[in-house]
Amino acid sequence: MPCYRCATRQTDPGKGPSDWKRGVRDGVQVLVCPDCQRLHDWQADLDACAECGSSSLVRQLGETRCRACGSTVAEVGGAPPVDEALASDVSAALDRRFRSYPDSQVP
Ligand SMILES: [Zn+2]
Ligand SMILES: [Zn+2]
């Protein structure tokens, strides 16, 4: 995957940790090359966590998760409208899920 700004490709991607940063921009996982990290306020371009403001987000299994606080970030642009009954079903399911993962609870 190339840098989202300058399209430079990562060299030696198999060589373990690099200076490239990962982030999520408009709901899409992106990479930022070291040059763009130096020359540009790249974190301002990335999606930020609604809970803690961190841009350390990662795309996983179709959702965006904050690596700083562990919360899941709502999709930018919003989900298609759903009726009230379905929406309350979904929030009940989310409640159950968060209860079973105490680490992701927001104080
Ligand atoms: Zn770049
Ligand atoms: Zn967060």
Side-chain angles (χ1 to χ4, degrees):
M1 184 160 50
C3 171
Y4 82 97
R5 284 196 78 228
C6 66
T8 296
R9 289 198 172 269
Q10 195 169 9
T11 53
D12 298 329
K15 254 181 148 180
S18 75
D19 294 334
W20 287 58
K21 299 285 188 197
R22 276 171 206 274
V24 175
R25 185 166 185 256
D26 298 333
V28 177
Q29 175 98 50
V30 295
L31 288 175
V32 190
C33 75
D35 283 346
C36 289
Q37 289 170 41
R38 268 204 315 276
L39 301 172
H40 183 74
D41 186 10
W42 56 280
Q43 285 174 310
D45 280 350
L46 300 180
D47 294 353
C49 172
E51 296 293 337
C52 71
S54 169
S55 58
S56 298
L57 306 181
V58 63
R59 287 288 295 176
Q60 259 175 4
L61 305 174
E63 64 183 16
T64 303
R65 178 169 286 273
C66 175
R67 286 187 294 177
C69 71
S71 73
T72 303
V73 180
E75 290 296 319
V76 179
V82 290
D83 66 54
E84 295 270 310
L86 181 57
S88 64
D89 273 2
V90 169
S91 69
L94 284 174
D95 280 348
R96 280 196 296 277
R97 189 171 136 198
F98 280 119
R99 265 199 284 277
S100 62
Y101 292 99
D103 284 347
S104 61
Q105 282 263 354
V106 178

